Structures are given as C-alpha cells and as structure tokens.
Amino acid sequence: MKLIDGKETAKLIKAEIAKEVAKMIDNDDKNPHLAAVLVGDDPASQTYVSGKEKACKEVGIISSIYRLPFETTEKEVLELVEFLNKDAEIDGFIVQLPLPKHIDENKVIQSISPSKDVDGFHPVNIGRMALNLPSYISATPFGILQLMERYHIETEGKQVVVLGRSHIVGSPMSILLSRKAYPGDATVTLCHSRTKNIKEITKKADILIVALGQKGFVTEDMVKKGAIVIDVGIHRIPSLETKSGFRLVGDVDFENVSKKASMITPVPGGVGPMTIVSLLLNTMKAAKREIYL
Ligand code: GUN
C-alpha cells in the first residue's frame, strides 16, 4: 500500500508557486493578490480564512481579508462584492461560506465576477468546467486532480465511484473524471443517500472517492483489493493520545481499508492540505489571466 501524501505534495506545489511569484515580482510584472470576505464569527470559517491568509504569506501572494460583523446586510455584502469585482488591484476573491442565514448565498455567489471567482462556485465556472472549457475548479476537486497527476494515477477507462453529490465536491468530481482529459476519461458512478446496494457498486471501483461526511462509512468489505481510495471526510473524535484531546478521522475506516487498497489518502495529511494549495493555484491563474483573457 502506498500513501498519497497530500501534506508533502502541498509543500512541493507551494514551493513552485513561491518561485513563480518571485519571478513575477522580479520581472516587474505584478504581485498576485487574493481577497477573502468573512461575515460573522463562525469558528471553522475563521480557521479556514486564517489558513488561507497564512498560505498566501508563505508563497508571497498578497491577501486582504474583509472581516464583517454577523449583522451585515445582504445589500452590504453585495456592495463589497461589486467593489472587489471592479478593483483592478484584486486578481481574485472568495466569500467564505456559510454566510449568516439572512444572506442569500446563491445571490452572493452569482454576483461575483466569474473572472475573479477563484473558488469556482459561480454557475459560469461550473458550466465551463462541465463543457471542458478553461475555468476555475473548486478547491477540493482541483486538489484531488493535482494528487492524481502527481502520483501518476491512471484514470482512462477506469471504474471510478464517487460517494456524495455535494455541489463543491462529489458533483464536480464526477463531471471532471468523466471529461475527455487527464485526469479523466473514466467511467464514473455517483452514489448518494438514495443509492441502493452501495456496497455492490463500491466493490467494483478501481478508484473510490469518498465525500459523504460520515465518519468511517467505508469499511474494508466495500473495497476491491488493489483499489485507490481518496478520502475527503474530516471529523474530530475524542482522543486520550493527543494534547488537544481530539484527533481527525475521515469517511474511510483507514486502519482496515488501507490493508486492501493499493493507494490511499490519510486523514489528516491527504486531501485537506491540497485544498488551500488549489486556491493559491487559482489565484495564480487569475493573476496571469489564464482563464479569462
Ligand atoms: N466553506 C467551506 N469550504 C469553502 C471553500 O472552499 N470556499 C469558501 N468560500 N467557503 C468554504
């Protein structure tokens, strides 16, 4: 069994980005600039945004964080989005989700200029992705594609099973791997909460991508010997062995499934570290006007 090391891969890609940023600055080109909008004080969102800020600093990308109070109105958020759409200094930006309930997330996402939507959440970017046109691909699916490329995982003609149909992971993942591309050209089955006989389906998978949000859902009896397993889940469980009093586990029973898989992503240190790197890569594409001229 070979471990797919997201932590190490993320480190390598960050070093490449840092080199590229330094070169852009040396050439008097520009310094890539990412902005993030954070509304309210959701602790997980604060942690994510701080992580993004730190990663930008590591590679030399400028980051501006707009922290707004919980009470901010939808109109005020839309006005800030409009300001960022127009600000030539900002190459790309994200609005951290979830937003407070009184703000319509879809309306906010749809107000972001697709050319600055480095989260890849705007319907135009999702549509372009489905049509295999240049687009921003959202962080988790893009991170998984990077891992597949770096580990030379063959996808052409393979049976891929995706568990979970979320708009930000399962659904785009199924579209991406069925495209005529590499990674892609796979035969993809998308399973969800209404799927019957899930085990019969997962047992046929050459590549199993799990993004259901259910701790330890995938057990060894559900996996074919030699399969490649990508675990997107992240759950905190109490632990007496760590200082913090908890540890992280995924949607896959790693201990047992890893004995059967040919390659597997650990949790933590698998898909997770790749997501922020994806955002940095998208910001670089924005700064270089690679997707939208
Ligand atoms: N909330 C959880 N994941 C994400 C993400 O990738 N982008 C944004 N904007 N919000 C999130």
Side-chain angles (χ1 to χ4, degrees), residues 190-253:
L190 180 64
C191 301
H192 47 75
S193 54
R194 298 291 183 270
T195 301
K196 293 196 175 103
N197 308 325
I198 211 161
K199 184 167 140 184
E200 279 164 36
I201 300 170
T202 57
K203 274 190 85 83
K204 295 211 169 83
D206 301 310
I207 301 173
L208 181 60
I209 300 175
V210 192
L212 282 172
Q214 285 188 50
K215 185 167 46 193
F217 180 89
V218 172
T219 46
E220 119 192 67
D221 56 317
M222 296 171 72
V223 178
K224 179 168 83 174
K225 188 155 175 46
I228 296 170
V229 180
I230 313 272
D231 188 353
V232 182
I234 297 188
H235 312 272
R236 271 179 176 213
I237 60 164
S239 169
L240 296 172
E241 284 152 38
T242 61
K243 233 182 350 186
S244 59
F246 68 86
R247 66 185 180 98
L248 297 177
V249 296
D251 284 357
V252 174
D253 170 11

Side-chain angles (χ1 to χ4, degrees), residues 74 78 99-109:
E74 182 179 284
L78 292 171
L99 288 168
K101 289 277 175 284
H102 61 274
I103 301 173
D104 182 343
E105 275 182 5
N106 281 324
K107 203 162 164 186
V108 172
I109 290 170

Side-chain angles (χ1 to χ4, degrees), residues 8-205:
E8 196 51 40
T9 309
K11 213 188 276 178
L12 286 172
I13 298 178
K14 274 200 251 182
E16 291 167 13
I17 297 172
K19 230 185 215 172
E20 207 178 338
V21 172
K23 206 155 79 188
M24 285 170 89
I25 297 169
D26 268 357
N27 291 345
D28 256 352
D29 209 355
K30 61 150 43 162
N31 193 330
H33 189 163
L34 172 74
V37 178
L38 175 58
V39 187
D41 40 25
D42 177 60
S45 292
Q46 292 193 19
T47 307
Y48 290 144
V49 169
S50 302
K52 291 169 188 177
E53 194 176 15
K54 179 168 160 267
C56 282
K57 204 173 250 167
E58 280 170 27
V59 301
I61 292 177
I62 302 169
S63 64
S64 303
I65 315 295
Y66 292 80
R67 290 187 168 81
L68 305 177
F70 180 87
E71 302 75 31
T72 307
T73 64
E74 182 179 284
K75 183 161 172 278
E76 285 166 333
V77 174
L78 292 171
E79 279 165 6
L80 176 56
V81 167
E82 208 37 54
F83 168 79
L84 295 170
N85 282 341
K86 291 201 179 113
D87 187 346
E89 289 297 309
I90 305 282
D91 295 301
F93 66 97
I94 64 157
V95 178
Q96 187 66 30
L97 304 178
L99 288 168
K101 289 277 175 284
H102 61 274
I103 301 173
D104 182 343
E105 275 182 5
N106 281 324
K107 203 162 164 186
V108 172
I109 290 170
Q110 287 174 35
S111 71
I112 298 172
S113 164
S115 66
K116 291 193 176 186
D117 168 39
V118 285
D119 254 337
F121 288 171
H122 193 285
V124 166
N125 278 314
I126 295 174
R128 289 174 69 126
M129 173 195 69
L131 296 170
N132 213 357
L133 295 169
S135 71
Y136 296 113
I137 297 167
S138 59
T140 305
F142 194 27
I144 294 171
L145 293 185
Q146 295 291 323
L147 285 176
M148 288 179 152
E149 264 188 62
R150 301 265 168 163
Y151 279 84
H152 308 292
I153 292 174
E154 263 186 61
T155 55
E156 185 182 327
K158 299 291 179 192
Q159 294 287 346
V160 171
V161 174
V162 179
L163 301 188
R165 59 178 157 186
S166 73
H167 290 167
I168 61 175
V169 187
S171 168
M173 207 63 244
S174 70
I175 294 169
L176 288 162
L177 291 177
S178 52
R179 300 196 304 188
K180 198 170 186 62
Y182 175 77
D185 277 325
T187 304
V188 182
T189 307
L190 180 64
C191 301
H192 47 75
S193 54
R194 298 291 183 270
T195 301
K196 293 196 175 103
N197 308 325
I198 211 161
K199 184 167 140 184
E200 279 164 36
I201 300 170
T202 57
K203 274 190 85 83
K204 295 211 169 83

